[in-house]
Amino acid sequence: MKRADVIDMFTRLRELDPHPTTELDYASPFELLVAVVLSAQATDVGVNKATKKLYPVANTPQAILKLGEEGLKRYISTIGLFNAKAKNVIALCRLLVEHHGSEVPRTREALEALPGVGRKTANVVLNTAFGEPTIAVDTHIFRVANRTGLAPGKDVRTVEDKLVKVIPAEFRQDAHHWLILHGRYVCKARKPDCPHCVIRDLCRYRDKTVED
């Protein structure tokens, strides 16, 4: 995609949604961190249902440690892979208490050293909780980047590096959210809604859908 088209693309997405943010419910960096860890291979809606019950009871590392692994499982059992996630969240909370004064660290290295936290989760926390212009490439962003021709790549890291390179600085802070929401609601996996897409004329996708 040409630079002028990239600028046009994000200008349109910004006009459509000037202040995009995550659809995960959270009220602190810690709540966001746990929600993102729980969201792996799960929907934001499903995670929000679980944390709506969990966070009024336990929304700090100490409180979740007090619940224990089995206690935590009772709140997150509706989420996929909840056994492994409960184990990771408990271990994560222990590290936060022992090494970070119960605070969520603000560096990628420290975040990625936490159990259950990979590059994508670290990017989400850095971007959404701490205002860093990072881009977390999930399945939606990977699909949109490839379909549109914005930043084609065969793997997640390649796409992330290309996105950081091609997206102008003025859009980078919110680009992550615009691309996720566009992939979730418009550029959907099975059948993209090209007729109602605000960037369809800029998009390089060859098999655009038409009105039924």
Side-chain angles (χ1 to χ4, degrees):
M1 192 179 285
K2 296 176 183 176
R3 180 170 176 80
D5 289 345
V6 174
I7 293 171
D8 198 359
M9 171 182 176
F10 283 101
T11 299
R12 295 182 196 183
L13 292 174
R14 181 171 61 188
E15 287 172 354
L16 204 64
D17 187 359
H19 305 291
T21 189
T22 180
E23 293 188 318
L24 289 169
D25 294 333
Y26 73 98
S28 69
F30 177 72
E31 287 188 5
L32 176 66
L33 174 61
V34 171
V36 179
V37 169
L38 295 178
S39 72
Q41 297 181 39
T43 66
D44 288 0
V45 172
V47 172
N48 288 340
K49 284 182 180 178
T51 57
K52 188 176 182 180
K53 295 177 182 177
L54 171 65
Y55 288 159
V57 176
N59 68 343
T60 65
Q62 295 93 333
I64 287 182
L65 284 173
K66 193 172 180 180
L67 275 182
E69 194 172 321
E70 293 305 314
L72 177 58
K73 284 180 186 179
R74 288 198 290 271
Y75 289 96
I76 66 170
S77 61
T78 53
I79 300 172
L81 307 175
F82 72 92
N83 284 312
K85 289 175 182 178
K87 186 175 182 179
N88 281 334
V89 170
I90 291 295
L92 175 158
C93 289
R94 191 169 290 116
L95 276 180
L96 290 181
V97 170
E98 293 175 356
H99 298 289
H100 300 286
S102 300
E103 297 292 326
V104 176
R106 300 181 68 131
T107 67
R108 179 188 304 284
E109 294 74 21
L111 283 166
E112 289 186 21
L114 298 172
V117 178
R119 186 177 180 85
K120 184 178 77 173
T121 297
N123 277 339
V124 173
V125 173
L126 288 170
N127 177 277
T128 306
F130 300 130
E132 299 287 339
T134 54
I135 298 174
V137 180
D138 68 349
T139 55
H140 298 300
I141 291 184
F142 187 79
R143 179 173 66 254
V144 171
N146 276 284
R147 264 188 189 161
T148 60
L150 173 65
K154 292 184 177 180
D155 59 76
V156 168
R157 185 58 192 273
T158 299
V159 169
E160 180 189 332
D161 290 344
K162 283 188 175 183
L163 286 170
V164 170
K165 188 176 179 181
V166 303
I167 297 173
E170 68 171 298
F171 300 113
R172 214 169 290 146
Q173 175 62 40
D174 293 322
H176 161 85
H177 299 298
W178 284 319
L179 293 174
I180 283 180
L181 295 170
H182 189 69
R184 186 172 288 165
Y185 296 111
V186 181
C187 196
K188 294 174 278 194
R190 292 187 181 180
K191 187 182 180 183
D193 187 11
C194 301
H196 298 102
C197 174
V198 297
I199 59 168
R200 60 188 174 275
D201 57 313
L202 305 173
C203 176
R204 300 291 190 266
Y205 187 50
R206 292 180 179 180
D207 302 314
K208 290 187 177 73
T209 59
V210 295
E211 289 277 17
D212 293 332

